[in-house]
Amino acid sequence: MTTGVLGQSAFDFPLGGRVVPGVEGRSDVWFEEYPALTHLNLRGNLDEVDFTASVTGVLGIAPPGVPNRVARTSDTCLHWLSLDEWLIVSTRSAALIEKGLAVSLTDRHYALVNLSGGQTVLRIGGLRARDILTSDCTLDFHPRVFRHGDCRQSLLAGAPVLIRRVDELDEVAFDLVVRRSFSRHLFDWLTDAAHETGYILRTSHGG
Amino acid sequence: MLQIECPWCGACDQSEFSYGGEAHIARPKTPADLSDQEWGDYLFNRENPKGWHREQWCHTAGCRRWFNAVRDTVTSRIKAYYQMGAVPPEEDGR
């Protein structure tokens, strides 16, 4: 594994294990950080012969061609970012995925950039999670609009974020992929917005 | 709230977009042969119409793609979207 900021929390204080009750004494929102994930930006052309097959061979999933959709396995999520651009977020090691893709995409037109040290994932969940997000984001988070398997890039409290609807849980949750330089601002804003609903800071995963 | 329809992401709030000015301004093939007047026209002078305007927009906070829109500069109503390099749709009211 690479050393340095990789795998460490984006925050300079321990995030986990705090319960902050809201005005009615409840805590209807929770936050959780996933600081130790692999983030890789992949660019390539879906029309190119074998591009999809080569990526599928390494990740087990094909890059989604439909805008703002994700493809997911148990350890890896492939987010649509643009017509020729995807974000891989994975619990697998960046070096292994990079090596795998470098081999399978040899002589193809592609770009792969490791962003793991520059981004973090903040998960927001709970009964009132949608209300918190809606309070300074213009996206519609209604489940009929923000469907299973959807991801959207937008501005949340002015910060550029990639938002994914978390499908693997029974409760409402969204993953916010954010640059580390924006994460403290976003966290401060989120916890301030959740002042009324109350919130729980769960222990982060790794890091 | 002005909504702009990204050709790929659908209708999104204006705050996600950047404005790219008037569309269809081609860079002169041989800038060295132009007079100062012509070069200045290319660089600075724009139509600035009251009414329909063909302009460039970028979905900056989304898919970061450029596209063209025909917008009424008075009402901000957008009546057509088309991709970069495509032939602009017929304009009326000009």
Side-chain angles (χ1 to χ4, degrees), chain B residues 1-2 19 32 35-37 65-66 72-74 78 80 84 92-93:
Chain B
M1 188 171 89
L2 174 62
Y19 180 59
S35 67
D36 285 354
Q37 173 75 45
R65 289 279 164 166
W66 286 93
D72 188 322
T73 55
V74 178
I78 297 175
M84 285 297 180
D92 45 48

Side-chain angles (χ1 to χ4, degrees), chain A residues 17 27 35 38 52 59 66 76 85 91 117 123 133 147-148 150 154 157 169 171 179 186 191 199 207:
Chain A
S27 304
T38 288
T52 300
L59 299 176
V66 180
T76 303
E85 186 172 3
T91 53
R123 181 170 288 184
L133 294 174
R147 299 159 302 164
H148 281 295
D150 272 0
S154 189
L169 297 179
E171 51 184 327
R179 288 186 198 113
L186 194 66
T191 48
Y199 56 91

Side-chain angles (χ1 to χ4, degrees), chain A residues 82-85 152-154, chain B residues 8 12 16 62-65:
Chain A
S82 189
L83 298 180
D84 55 3
E85 186 172 3
R152 293 297 297 251
Q153 297 167 90
S154 189
Chain B
W8 296 280
C12 298
E16 292 188 4
C63 61
R64 304 201 307 288
R65 289 279 164 166

Side-chain angles (χ1 to χ4, degrees), chain A residues 5-163:
Chain A
V5 70
L6 273 184
Q8 291 175 19
S9 169
F11 304 102
D12 54 2
F13 53 90
L15 202 67
R18 262 196 293 157
V19 178
V20 181
V23 287
E24 287 164 13
R26 307 196 336 200
S27 304
D28 285 338
V29 172
W30 50 264
F31 300 103
E32 196 172 24
E33 192 201 5
Y34 289 77
L37 299 176
T38 288
H39 297 240
L40 295 167
N41 184 288
L42 172 68
R43 300 197 68 164
N45 189 348
L46 277 184
D47 298 331
E48 199 175 353
V49 187
D50 289 349
F51 177 77
T52 300
S54 305
V55 175
T56 311
V58 176
L59 299 176
I61 31 176
V66 180
N68 300 310
R69 297 288 290 168
V70 302
R72 206 167 54 82
T73 63
S74 56
D75 59 19
T76 303
C77 190
L78 199 44
H79 307 70
W80 186 96
L81 295 183
S82 189
L83 298 180
D84 55 3
E85 186 172 3
W86 297 269
L87 178 71
I88 304 166
V89 174
S90 178
T91 53
R92 288 159 68 181
S93 109
L96 278 181
I97 297 177
E98 278 178 302
K99 200 186 268 178
L101 286 173
V103 170
S104 73
L105 290 169
T106 309
D107 298 332
R108 303 254 181 279
H109 186 63
Y110 79 103
L112 188 65
V113 180
N114 190 341
L115 306 172
S116 310
Q119 298 188 153
T120 190
V121 175
L122 197 58
R123 181 170 288 184
I124 173 173
L127 282 175
R128 304 285 300 276
R130 284 196 181 93
D131 299 337
I132 303 298
L133 294 174
T134 307
S135 57
D136 199 3
C137 182
T138 55
L139 294 178
D140 189 345
F141 291 96
H142 191 282
R144 230 175 14 233
V145 180
F146 210 119
R147 299 159 302 164
H148 281 295
D150 272 0
C151 69
R152 293 297 297 251
Q153 297 167 90
S154 189
L155 299 171
L156 176 57
V161 287
L162 168 64
I163 305 172

